[in-house]
Amino acid sequence: MTRLFIIIFVSLFGLASCDSTPVPVGPDGKPLPRVYRISKSMGGKIQLGMLDSINSLRGAAGAPPLQLDAKLNAAAATHSRDMSVQNRSWHFGSDGSSPLDRVARTGYAGMMLGENISETYETELETLSAWMNRSDTRDVILNPNAKNMGFSWHQDPNGKIWWTLVTGS
């Protein structure tokens, strides 16, 4: 009797742990992506994770590692917010500023070398992967003259993320 009770208990416990919520699928039959939400506590972790990932890619390509720079981070954050306000992903600010202008405004002493931007619902690593799949954005990441980087984002209430990466010497 005890053995029967244990079998029934384990069976019921196993069934109770099953999630019967259906996973929404798109027209292609694949699961729809979930919104990647970034909490305030994730900020430093995301920046350092991106730095580590980029430095791994740079190391494999024979380029020296980058360091995070607070002024380049500020330029990246400003542009990410501004792209959200404009609701378009492009390199010019709503005030007509270029990436060079934004970096100069922060007081960065080096030379701005490149800027990568993205408008997406994807994570930072998925965005980095997309950047590495295009020669122009890959060149910004692997530029051997780069010594510093700034990386930031702005997330809209609907989950859309505006990513900006800036490199400098």
Side-chain angles (χ1 to χ4, degrees), residues 89-138:
S89 179
W90 74 321
H91 292 282
F92 294 95
S94 56
D95 61 355
S97 62
S98 70
L100 291 169
D101 297 328
R102 288 189 296 278
V103 168
R105 287 178 189 163
T106 67
Y108 180 69
M111 179 188 306
M112 195 285 282
L113 296 176
E115 178 181 73
N116 287 347
I117 57 175
S118 180
E119 166 191 1
T120 185
Y121 291 88
E122 296 178 332
T123 69
E124 63 278 5
L125 294 180
E126 290 169 317
T127 301
L128 177 58
S129 177
W131 285 338
M132 289 301 290
N133 284 326
R134 291 187 42 159
S135 62
D136 58 340
T137 52
R138 182 177 52 248

Side-chain angles (χ1 to χ4, degrees), residues 41-68:
S41 65
M42 293 169 62
K45 182 179 178 183
I46 288 173
Q47 283 183 322
L48 292 175
M50 183 60 99
L51 177 68
D52 288 344
S53 297
I54 287 175
N55 281 337
S56 292
L57 293 166
R58 288 175 62 84
L66 299 178
Q67 294 184 337
L68 276 176

Side-chain angles (χ1 to χ4, degrees), residues 12-44:
L12 289 175
F13 183 75
L15 288 174
S17 67
C18 291
D19 185 6
S20 62
T21 306
V23 175
V25 295
D28 59 359
K30 294 182 180 178
L32 291 173
R34 294 182 179 200
V35 174
Y36 176 60
R37 291 277 177 202
I38 300 173
S39 68
K40 290 184 182 194
S41 65
M42 293 169 62

